[in-house]
Amino acid sequence: GAVVSQHPSWVICKSGTSVKIECRSLDFQATTMFWYRQFPKKSLMLMATSNEGSKATYEQGVEKDKFLINHASLTLSTLTVTSAHPEDSSFYICSALEVLADNEQFFGPGTRLTVL
Amino acid sequence: KNQVEQSPQSLIILEGKNCTLQCNYTVSPFSNLRWYKQDTGRGPVSLTIMTFSENTKSNGRYTATLDADTKQSSLHITASQLSDSASYICVVSSRSGYALNFGKGTSLLVTP
């Protein structure tokens, strides 16, 4: 099946710093990727849809200036958490849409962000 | 409003036993239903996918059923193993757009 990777798998940063998370589709091209956030024992919550070559579409309540998304190539989308605060600590998961697999979303392994 | 409800919220079973997880949904128009396994600290991994016309689908010890009329699905795990301990998430897709509708998951713990 299609493989999606994320880097880093975990990161600890100080409050006020910015953190970049990468999402890569390893064996397929994805014009559309998605970023999710997951709190402990909760379901995945869609944050934004990342479109290659165009602006991301953010879900209601998600600050686009806080969570910067760049989808510069068909295999890479990045999420930058700017001026991170402790409440941004969470598990961030990306997925990539594989058109050739009936538009199935393949999920990355997730990135654990802890802001001190 | 599109909703996906899962039950039970959590489950503890002995190794080797079978169990069945439930999923009810109100997503419309329906496209497909997937069951995912999510290990702690990992991303979801697809177990099965079913479309409207499919009633059952198996993947090893996992068997999913779908009743599109009653909008219910189940995931049956046979001869459970310790490695089955995880969260099992029911995800329903609509034919309108790429958005996925997630259930809150069932947390399964398999004990020796």
Side-chain angles (χ1 to χ4, degrees):
Chain A
V3 180
V4 176
S5 70
Q6 281 184 241
H7 178 80
S9 56
W10 60 270
V11 56
I12 301 173
C13 69
K14 292 183 178 179
S15 186
T17 62
S18 294
V19 175
K20 179 185 286 188
I21 303 170
E22 295 184 347
C23 177
R24 294 181 185 273
S25 54
L26 298 185
D27 50 2
F28 66 101
Q29 293 183 331
T31 56
T32 305
M33 293 185 175
F34 303 88
W35 286 97
Y36 295 86
R37 185 172 182 177
Q38 186 177 32
F39 291 105
K41 299 189 183 301
K42 299 294 185 182
S43 186
L44 281 72
M45 291 176 49
L46 180 64
M47 298 174 65
T49 301
S50 172
N51 303 297
E52 188 269 335
S54 64
K55 291 182 179 180
T57 304
Y58 290 82
E59 295 299 301
Q60 190 174 8
V62 178
E63 300 176 56
K64 59 181 180 182
D65 295 330
K66 173 76 171 176
F67 299 99
L68 300 179
I69 292 172
N70 187 343
H71 195 154
S73 79
L74 289 173
T75 59
L76 173 64
S77 174
T78 60
L79 169 69
T80 302
V81 183
T82 62
S83 187
H85 290 286
E87 57 265 30
D88 298 324
S89 298
S90 189
F91 193 54
Y92 292 88
I93 303 174
C94 74
S95 71
L97 192 71
E98 168 60 303
V99 176
L100 299 180
D102 292 327
N103 289 325
E104 180 169 352
Q105 289 187 34
F106 291 90
F107 290 88
T111 296
R112 171 71 59 191
L113 170 63
T114 301
V115 185
L116 302 177
Chain B
K1 180 180 178 181
N2 289 333
Q3 288 186 314
V4 179
E5 301 287 342
Q6 289 188 243
S7 62
Q9 184 177 2
S10 61
L11 184 62
I12 302 175
I13 62 174
L14 291 174
E15 184 179 12
K17 298 295 185 182
N18 304 334
C19 67
T20 300
L21 315 180
Q22 301 292 339
C23 174
N24 297 336
Y25 62 92
T26 60
V27 178
S28 183
F30 175 84
S31 176
N32 58 63
L33 184 148
R34 295 181 174 92
W35 283 94
Y36 287 89
K37 178 186 179 186
Q38 185 178 22
D39 292 308
T40 301
R42 304 293 293 173
V45 175
S46 180
L47 296 175
T48 63
I49 175 173
M50 287 184 293
T51 58
F52 185 88
S53 59
E54 297 176 295
N55 299 121
T56 186
K57 179 99 38 109
S58 291
N59 177 2
R61 294 179 298 101
Y62 302 104
T63 299
T65 65
L66 174 65
D67 186 332
D69 291 330
T70 61
K71 299 186 178 182
Q72 296 179 326
S73 176
S74 67
L75 179 69
H76 186 75
I77 304 175
T78 304
S80 61
Q81 301 176 356
L82 298 179
S83 58
D84 291 334
S85 296
S87 179
Y88 291 84
I89 306 172
C90 175
V91 181
V92 183
S93 298
S94 168
R95 279 189 273 114
S96 54
Y98 297 132
L100 300 179
N101 299 279
F102 291 83
K104 292 184 178 180
T106 292
S107 179
L108 174 65
L109 176 62
V110 181
T111 64

